Amino acid sequence: MSRTLRQWLLGGASGAESAVKQWCASEGLVLKLTHERDGFVIEPAREGLPLRIEWGPSQRPYLSGMELRLRSETGIAPHVYGALMPQALLEALERALFEQSTGTVQTRFDGEMPEEMRWLAMGERLDATQLGPLRGDFAGVANQSAWMAEWLAGPTGDALHGWAQAELQRLAATARKPGSREKPAPLGWALLVHRGRLVWRQSLATPDVAAIASARQAFQAALLGARGFASQPISSQMGASQINASQLDLSQQDLASRQGPASDPPAED
């Protein structure tokens, strides 16, 4: 159990706990500890509001420590997939994927590898124009990039850009606290569309109510935009039902064409 959560259970972090509980009450939400008692879940107090918020140990190897998760149904066809994340993080995942391919002619994907990592090899990378207000700092991949570009071109892109700027300021302020010698943490975050759901994943060491509220606001804007595609047919050359991690092979040449020379230095944050 994390020290932060232990403090919550023992009352040592009553101020933070009280703030989150008060926020939940004001928003018509209910706070519950998970069955494993290693995090919590925030759910609507009444039916009809499907947004679910979770905080607990990270479920992804590319996000360390504790993780904030938000998820909801979009109504988008289940074969559609897409991922948006900071450019530095996506490039790091591409390098990790490439490194797994070295030394063999063919790479068989690990069944435990997060699906969004496999999308990097199979999907279409969004170009700078398609990223709209997020270009330069973020990168995206999808099985059909046109719908994702349209999604990000509107209020969704503006909301995510505003959230990211505010979050980077929060991380910088945390690093400037008296006694802290840490550098501002990079933005650990991913927004995923998969199997009809929108999922937000964010590194969050402590359950800061301002960070949770800010993420929820940006997520709701992205969710509203995504639901605009629920009634639209989105074609796909490769649906999710066709992807079998235990059977899919990827050649080194395909990975190299995406990654570039193995000696390329890591991208700067």
Side-chain angles (χ1 to χ4, degrees):
M1 182 187 301
S2 72
R3 180 174 179 271
T4 300
L5 188 61
R6 189 184 306 114
Q7 287 179 323
W8 274 56
L9 295 174
L10 298 178
S14 58
E17 179 183 15
S18 177
V20 174
K21 285 185 175 180
Q22 289 179 12
W23 176 74
C24 288
S26 67
E27 297 293 323
L29 303 170
V30 176
L31 176 70
K32 302 177 182 178
L33 290 177
T34 61
H35 292 300
E36 296 80 8
R37 304 184 75 81
D38 60 353
F40 60 72
V41 175
I42 297 175
E43 296 180 320
R46 61 185 185 277
E47 296 182 0
L49 299 173
L51 175 58
R52 178 182 174 94
I53 303 173
E54 304 169 358
W55 180 77
S58 175
Q59 298 176 346
R60 290 295 188 267
Y62 57 82
L63 297 178
S64 61
M66 305 297 279
E67 175 189 57
L68 175 68
R69 296 181 294 274
L70 297 89
R71 64 186 75 216
S72 187
E73 299 291 335
T74 65
I76 294 177
H79 71 262
V80 176
Y81 66 78
L84 179 72
M85 60 185 68
Q87 183 172 333
L89 177 57
L90 188 143
E91 291 177 348
L93 294 183
E94 284 187 327
R95 288 194 296 272
L97 191 63
F98 176 77
E99 289 170 1
Q100 290 187 22
S101 74
T102 58
T104 60
V105 176
Q106 294 282 325
T107 294
R108 185 175 299 276
F109 282 141
D110 184 348
E112 296 183 357
M113 180 184 295
E115 289 180 287
E116 53 267 36
M117 287 190 68
R118 299 198 293 274
W119 301 344
L120 299 180
M122 300 180 295
E124 298 178 5
R125 185 79 172 263
L126 274 68
D127 60 33
T129 302
Q130 292 175 312
L131 287 166
L134 300 170
R135 60 182 173 271
D137 297 318
F138 289 84
V141 63
N143 54 347
Q144 290 290 314
S145 59
W147 73 267
M148 194 169 181
E150 185 178 349
W151 176 42
L152 297 177
T156 294
D158 293 333
L160 293 176
H161 180 265
W163 167 81
Q165 297 303 308
E167 180 63 15
L168 288 171
Q169 292 178 7
R170 185 186 71 84
L171 292 171
T174 300
R176 291 196 300 267
K177 286 183 177 179
S180 175
R181 298 181 180 179
E182 297 181 1
K183 295 181 179 179
L187 186 59
W189 172 82
L191 186 63
L192 314 172
V193 177
H194 186 217
R195 296 176 182 171
R197 293 179 179 175
L198 184 65
V199 181
W200 175 291
R201 296 183 178 277
Q202 177 187 348
S203 292
L204 189 64
T206 58
D208 180 87
V209 66
I212 296 173
S214 176
R216 177 175 177 247
Q217 183 177 13
F219 180 84
Q220 288 176 319
L223 179 61
L224 181 62
R227 285 179 174 167
F229 293 89
S231 60
Q232 300 181 27
I234 302 176
S235 63
S236 173
Q237 296 177 350
M238 181 179 292
S241 61
Q242 298 174 270
I243 300 171
N244 187 324
S246 64
Q247 298 177 352
L248 184 60
D249 289 329
L250 179 67
S251 69
Q252 255 188 297
Q253 183 176 0
D254 289 339
L255 277 172
S257 67
R258 291 174 177 269
Q259 174 65 28
S263 59
D264 283 354
E268 296 289 334
D269 286 343

